[in-house]
Amino acid sequence: MQDRPRRLRRTPALRALTREVHLHPSQFIHPIFVHERDTVTDIATMPGVQRHSIESAVQQAREALALGIPSVILFGIPDFKDAVGTQAYAEEGIIQRATRAIKASVPGINVIADTCLCEYTDHGHCGPLCEVPGQSGADAWTVDNDPSLDLLARTAVSQARAGADVIAPSAMMDGQVAAIRAALDAAGFTHVPVMSYAVKYASAYYGPFRDAAGSTPSVGNRATYQMDPAGGYREALREARLDAEQGADTLMVKPALAYLDVLNLLKREFDLPVVAYNVSGEYSLIKAAAAAGFMDERRTVLETLTGFRRAGADAIITYHAMDAARWIAEDARA
């Protein structure tokens, strides 16, 4: 008897019947950039993405929930920046105010607070800087790890106090999950989960985000604390295991597209939900190719997001979230 796999691909109904991986808006997390202005401004390097006012961010959250997207993640862009990122943990900081506004108007949505300092420091790094003895050039400056832990913990508590449902530390400081978990528990937020950016690479794919958030480092680079793209599985497992042991409730891989093998590794090795971050550069590549007529945007986006799910992602942070949710709804009605 000849085996004929094509029998199950013959019609749309048969393909749907035998499909192993399913994509649904409930798996998406919609990112929102929030700035101090009353206006909405376009981000040139991320077509279709804007910097939002608090009022507009509330509307974004409302639209996301209406499309079946249960979660948003907030990135703040303050007017004032300094060497230690004080606006990250200010009680009236941009993320704190935006969180309160969204939770008051759209109580059914999950607000995830990105917990980092890079958007709030005047040098663009994820904590206060210190000199590295004996080094020169880009490696002469790095983030001072342990003082940064105190600031990240303060930021997490202020975000939880404002109503954030999930704290998402992204600074890649050693011990950040333990410091944040301890601070949240001590402040009475034992119920607030930590979504750790456990495996985050020093990637070229972040370029458009740094333009959007104004967080390009003015000195040095992030290679001394973000992971080496060629580091392999040992480093990824070590980082993820440390965060899991320190109390992380979910683990993230960032970026996702070039690291699907790492995403799948974490899914197999850890009994925790795994999040894929479909980052700004991945988004902008598809947007640029589609605008040039080189690719079908809809098909490419849905195929890419399905790839994250197939690799093991339980949830996906993606700037395509709103469009993808609409396309999935249209396909369901067809």
Side-chain angles (χ1 to χ4, degrees), residues 172-219:
M172 288 301 288
M173 295 296 108
D174 292 343
Q176 64 180 13
V177 172
I180 287 170
R181 183 73 270 162
L184 289 172
D185 292 352
F189 296 109
T190 57
H191 59 286
V192 174
V194 174
M195 176 185 287
S196 171
Y197 287 65
V199 179
K200 179 179 177 181
Y201 291 91
S203 173
Y205 283 99
Y206 304 151
F209 178 98
R210 292 177 182 177
D211 175 50
S215 61
T216 301
S218 60
V219 296

Side-chain angles (χ1 to χ4, degrees), residues 107-229:
I109 203 158
N110 292 316
V111 173
I112 303 169
D114 178 72
T115 306
C116 195
L117 302 174
C118 63
E119 295 126 88
Y120 306 90
T121 57
D122 53 14
H123 46 72
H125 280 280
C126 301
L129 293 180
C130 62
E131 290 189 72
V132 181
Q135 294 296 318
S136 60
D139 291 332
W141 293 89
T142 191
V143 173
D144 200 351
N145 194 94
D146 292 1
S148 298
L149 298 182
D150 294 334
L151 301 182
L152 291 167
R154 290 179 62 181
T155 301
V157 170
S158 72
Q159 292 169 338
R161 191 176 292 122
D165 298 289
V166 180
I167 298 301
S170 60
M172 288 301 288
M173 295 296 108
D174 292 343
Q176 64 180 13
V177 172
I180 287 170
R181 183 73 270 162
L184 289 172
D185 292 352
F189 296 109
T190 57
H191 59 286
V192 174
V194 174
M195 176 185 287
S196 171
Y197 287 65
V199 179
K200 179 179 177 181
Y201 291 91
S203 173
Y205 283 99
Y206 304 151
F209 178 98
R210 292 177 182 177
D211 175 50
S215 61
T216 301
S218 60
V219 296
N221 58 55
R222 294 196 174 106
T224 58
Y225 50 100
Q226 294 179 357
M227 292 167 56
D228 182 357

Side-chain angles (χ1 to χ4, degrees), residues 72-327:
V72 297
I73 184 167
L74 304 183
F75 299 96
I77 307 169
D79 279 346
F80 172 75
K81 302 187 179 190
D82 59 22
V84 294
T86 54
Q87 286 301 300
Y89 43 89
E91 293 302 317
E92 293 300 315
I94 184 62
I95 288 299
Q96 289 77 3
R97 287 185 284 129
T99 298
R100 287 194 288 267
I102 290 171
K103 293 303 294 185
S105 298
V106 196
I109 203 158
N110 292 316
V111 173
I112 303 169
D114 178 72
T115 306
C116 195
L117 302 174
C118 63
E119 295 126 88
Y120 306 90
T121 57
D122 53 14
H123 46 72
H125 280 280
C126 301
L129 293 180
C130 62
E131 290 189 72
V132 181
Q135 294 296 318
S136 60
D139 291 332
W141 293 89
T142 191
V143 173
D144 200 351
N145 194 94
D146 292 1
S148 298
L149 298 182
D150 294 334
L151 301 182
L152 291 167
R154 290 179 62 181
T155 301
V157 170
S158 72
Q159 292 169 338
R161 191 176 292 122
D165 298 289
V166 180
I167 298 301
S170 60
M172 288 301 288
M173 295 296 108
D174 292 343
Q176 64 180 13
V177 172
I180 287 170
R181 183 73 270 162
L184 289 172
D185 292 352
F189 296 109
T190 57
H191 59 286
V192 174
V194 174
M195 176 185 287
S196 171
Y197 287 65
V199 179
K200 179 179 177 181
Y201 291 91
S203 173
Y205 283 99
Y206 304 151
F209 178 98
R210 292 177 182 177
D211 175 50
S215 61
T216 301
S218 60
V219 296
N221 58 55
R222 294 196 174 106
T224 58
Y225 50 100
Q226 294 179 357
M227 292 167 56
D228 182 357
Y233 294 158
R234 180 178 59 200
E235 186 179 25
L237 286 172
R238 184 183 186 192
E239 289 282 2
R241 185 170 290 112
L242 285 169
D243 283 5
E245 291 171 351
Q246 291 171 26
D249 298 282
T250 69
L251 302 172
M252 189 190 302
V253 176
K254 179 184 180 183
L257 191 58
Y259 301 91
L260 293 178
D261 57 332
V262 177
L263 180 65
N264 183 255
L265 178 69
L266 265 59
K267 182 66 175 178
R268 289 185 282 109
E269 292 291 330
F270 296 93
D271 189 22
L272 289 173
V274 178
V275 180
Y277 196 146
N278 179 206
V279 299
S280 60
E282 297 166 356
Y283 170 88
S284 295
L285 283 172
I286 292 177
K287 281 290 189 180
F294 297 156
M295 300 173 74
D296 181 311
E297 180 179 355
R298 177 172 176 157
R299 289 186 61 196
T300 305
V301 168
L302 293 178
E303 182 178 344
T304 300
L305 298 179
T306 299
F308 298 146
R309 288 279 294 140
R310 188 179 62 251
D314 297 287
I316 306 166
I317 301 172
T318 177
Y319 303 95
H320 298 291
M322 299 276 237
D323 286 337
R326 294 187 187 99
W327 294 331

